[in-house]
Structures are given as structure tokens and as C-alpha cells.
């Protein structure tokens, strides 16, 4: 019996987002890489598209980009192939299988970095290395910790942009904590909110959970 789009969506939420812990989510990713693009395309997954659209809007004079939590490189592929970015592109993810799939897309990637982002958010790259950092779908439960954001931003040049997607505060406890943490960073003038736009992340699954793409500038 063929699975419906709604059932596919519910399976993804149960197995990845609502699993017991980050290690369990990684076990799911280990066997998901080869079907990841097909299944998310079936659900019309929107986060990479919104992030890439914001990148295109603010990409003047960008020379170096890091895509964090790249998965199979969906956002990186749009930035490179749809919007024609020709500069340095590095990708980072905790899951080797996902990185293998991303590498197959011929994106002229400089560095493929396997790294687990912890609470501190320290990355195995030099501070102030990038003009833009993108991150789609990884600011959620059992993925990147909320407290990692300041550490990730250290990899941006001053005045550089962090383009990310996340659920709105009402979605769950993680997103509520994330937006509170980010609000404090904005108040402290560590970052500036440049733009935001809300959207439905999985419209083909009749998903009513609203997400937002944020464009942040490092002070």
C-alpha cells in the first residue's frame, strides 16, 4: 500500500524531530541519505528555497559561504546552480552519509566538513572566515542546540550574514527557547535582524506548522 504524503510527513516528524535524542536522529539519517531528496521533494520542502532566495537578495560581493547542517546539500545546490554563486562554498554536517550525497551533486565544494555542532557551537574553521552562513532545517529539537548560535556566528566576518530557518515561537519548546535566545542577542547588539519571512515548510503534506527564514547581520 502506497504511503500518503501526510503519512510520509508524520513519519519524518516522529523518527527525526520527535525522536529520543540526537544520537537516535543520526541513526535515522544514516539510512536516509539516498531517499532524502526524493521524499522531501515529494513534500515540497520549502526551507532551502526560502534561504536561497534570501541569499540571492543579499549576495552582492559574497566571496565565501558555509552551509551548516547541509544534509544532502539542497540549499547549497540552489545557491550554486539556480542563483549562480561562483565563490568559495564549504558544507558542514554531522552525518557522513548525507555529506556523501551532497558531494555527488557537483557543486564545486572547497571543504566538506563532518562535524557535530555542540552546545558551544565552536566550528573547525577560522573565525571570521565567511561572508554568509546558511542553515536550513537544523535549528530544531535533537539537532543544533540553541546555545550554539554565538559560536557559529564567530565564523562570520563582521557585517556578514547568517541566513537560517526555524519554526515560529509557537511551534514547540525548542523554537520558543530559540527565539528568546535570539531576541537577547539582538538586544545585546551582537546581531541585527535584517529581514524575516514566514512560510509553510511542507505544503504538500497539508502541514500547518509555520516556519520563518531569518537574515541576521553580525555586528
Amino acid at each position: 500500500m502506497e504511503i500518503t504524503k501526510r503519512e510520509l510527513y508524520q513519519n519524518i516528524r516522529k523518527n527525526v524531530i520527535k525522536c529520543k535524542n540526537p544520537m537516535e536522529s543520526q541513526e535515522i539519517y544514516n539510512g536516509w541519505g539516498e531517499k532524502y531528496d526524493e521524499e522531501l521533494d515529494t513534500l515540497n520542502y520549502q526551507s532551502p528555497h526560502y534561504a536561497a532566495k534570501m541569499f540571492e537578495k543579499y549576495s552582492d560581493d559574497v566571496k565565501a559561504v558555509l552551509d551548516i547542517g547541509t544534509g544532502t546539500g539542497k540549499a547549497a545546490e540552489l545557491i550554486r546552480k539556480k542563483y549562480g554563486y561562483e565563490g568559495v562554498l564549504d558544507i558542514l554536517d554531522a552525518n557522513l552519509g548525507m555529506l556523501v550525497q551532497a558531494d555527488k551533486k557537483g557543486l564545486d565544494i572547497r571543504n566538506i566538513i563532518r562535524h557535530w555542532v555542540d552546545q558551544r557551537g565552536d566550528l573547525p574553521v577560522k573565525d571570521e572566515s565567511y561572508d554568509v552562513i546558511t542553515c536550513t532545517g537544523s535549528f530544531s529539537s535533537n539537532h543544533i542546540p540553541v546555545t550554539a548560535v554565538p559560536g557559529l556566528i564567530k565564523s562570520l566576518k563582521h557585517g556578514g550574514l547568517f541566513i537560517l530557518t526555524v519554526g515560529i515561537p509557537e511551534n514547540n519548546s525548542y523554537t520558543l527557547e530559540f527565539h528568546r535566545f535570539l531576541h537577547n542577542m539582538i538586544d545585546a547588539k551582537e546581531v541585527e535582524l535584517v529581514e524575516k519571512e514566514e512560510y509553510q515548510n511542507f505544503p504538500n503534506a497539508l502541514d500547518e506548522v509555520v516556519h520563518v527564514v531569518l537574515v541576521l547581520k553580525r555586528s
Side-chain angles (χ1 to χ4, degrees), residues 50-82:
Y50 275 82
K53 182 177 70 172
M54 288 297 184
F55 175 86
E56 193 274 337
K57 184 175 182 178
Y58 294 101
S59 62
D60 290 347
D61 202 32
V62 170
K63 296 180 175 63
V65 175
L66 173 64
D67 188 33
I68 296 174
T70 193
T72 59
K74 293 180 77 66
E77 182 177 19
L78 289 167
I79 288 168
R80 191 65 109 190
K81 294 186 176 180
K82 181 174 182 178

Side-chain angles (χ1 to χ4, degrees), residues 86-102:
E86 297 180 349
V88 168
L89 177 61
D90 293 344
I91 61 173
L92 180 150
D93 200 275
N95 190 272
L96 180 59
M98 290 290 190
L99 289 171
V100 168
Q101 296 302 317

Side-chain angles (χ1 to χ4, degrees), residues 101-119:
Q101 296 302 317
D103 188 39
K104 292 179 180 179
K105 294 183 175 180
L107 303 180
D108 189 22
I109 299 165
R110 181 182 65 174
N111 293 317
I112 299 175
I113 306 166
R114 187 185 186 188
H115 177 74
W116 186 290
V117 178
D118 62 15
Q119 298 281 345

Side-chain angles (χ1 to χ4, degrees), residues 15 24 29 38 55 64 70-71 73 99 104 112-113 116 135 149 160 171 180 188 195 202 207 217:
N15 292 329
E24 185 175 302
Y29 282 119
E38 177 185 351
F55 175 86
T70 193
L99 289 171
K104 292 179 180 179
I112 299 175
I113 306 166
W116 186 290
C135 184
V149 177
N171 282 5
R180 284 175 175 169
E195 186 171 350
F202 296 103
D207 171 29
K217 178 185 287 188

